[in-house]
Amino acid sequence: MRALWPMLSLLIALLASPVAAQTRDPCQAGDDRWAGQAFANAISVYSLEWSPFGAQEWGWETYLPLVHKELGTACAPTTPVFAEALSRLQARYNLPATGVFDQDTFQVLRGVWQERRPFIMARVNGGPCPDPPPLSSLGYLVAEEEHADRLTRLLRRDVLAAYRRMVAAARAEVPEIAADPELLQIFSGFRDPEADAARCAQQGNCDGVRRAVCSPHRTGTAVDLYVGQIEGLGVDSTVPASRRHMSQGAAYRWLVANAGRFGFVPYVFEPWHWEWVGEAAPQGHP
């Protein structure tokens, strides 16, 4: 037995070495040429000072689930694999392929995500604000689908069916979501355009980031889903800390990875806001 100790000591040392760690963790097994970029991303993901939507934010962790989806990797931004995947994405969109996350990269991705929202693109291209659907095409939510913070009642029937399939899958696949019936409940679905316009004018934020004169909610295809909240802040609080908290939760991360299977696409600024575009929703880069 004593003769085995030198061999066991060597094995322990090898397992504890950086080479062994890289062997065990594929995300650390990338090309060493990307180590410097990985270090830069590791710093900026928490410390980047920028204003992607007007208000100042620190770091880009809020947008990491969407970036991961687009890159086709779950590796942390601290890893060479992430940096190398990011460089390939940058090259694909004719950006300098640095492998370092920056504001230009985000703006390109933001445009890509917006282009997957037909309602928004129609408006950008000068299309009229669509009329609401006939009441006969709207279906009622049941009580367990409605979040207590807001009672919404209605959604277009085909969207409601897709939403129910999506929630059933989420609860079957993620124990944390299954254990919390509040997660993925709807706190805003179809909104009457006249009531929405009146509320918009009353609050003085028309066509801002909080409420638009022509909202996709008027179509009955947009849903605001409960994905968590910071105590004391609303379910749709837009302060950076609130959105970051939501984006790191199990519900949002599952939605980013899977909602496209059921026809839903995200709005990057609001982790709770999803729009149904049909069963063949864009899935991001494979």
Side-chain angles (χ1 to χ4, degrees), residues 65-219:
L66 288 171
V67 174
H68 273 148
K69 177 69 172 177
E70 213 62 39
L71 296 185
T73 178
C75 291
T78 59
T79 64
V81 170
F82 180 96
E84 188 172 6
L86 182 60
S87 75
R88 291 195 296 268
L89 180 141
Q90 290 168 327
R92 189 161 70 248
Y93 291 111
N94 298 314
L95 293 166
T98 62
V100 175
F101 183 89
D102 57 21
Q103 298 188 48
D104 288 341
T105 300
F106 178 79
Q107 289 305 324
V108 167
L109 287 174
R110 178 181 174 183
V112 169
W113 295 323
Q114 289 289 74
E115 287 173 359
R116 294 173 184 163
R117 302 171 64 200
F119 178 90
I120 294 300
M121 294 312 298
R123 297 288 290 153
V124 168
N125 293 327
C129 192
D131 292 329
L135 288 177
S136 60
S137 71
L138 299 174
Y140 280 92
L141 279 69
V142 297
E144 56 267 26
E145 294 169 338
E146 292 188 299
H147 192 268
D149 191 70
R150 314 267 177 85
L151 295 180
T152 176
R153 306 304 294 174
L154 294 169
L155 204 60
R156 219 174 70 181
R157 293 181 190 278
D158 49 353
V159 181
L160 181 56
Y163 160 78
R164 286 170 173 165
R165 291 193 298 272
M166 181 172 70
V167 173
R171 300 204 184 286
E173 296 171 18
V174 184
E176 185 175 343
I177 297 175
D180 186 352
E182 195 174 14
L183 288 172
L184 301 184
Q185 288 181 334
I186 295 175
F187 62 84
S188 188
F190 170 74
R191 295 206 301 252
D192 176 73
E194 291 185 5
D196 219 25
R199 191 161 54 247
C200 163
Q202 181 183 30
Q203 296 180 3
N205 61 3
C206 303
D207 280 333
V209 295
R210 288 302 303 272
R211 180 165 288 114
V213 171
C214 181
S215 167
H217 283 280
R218 69 164 49 214
T219 66

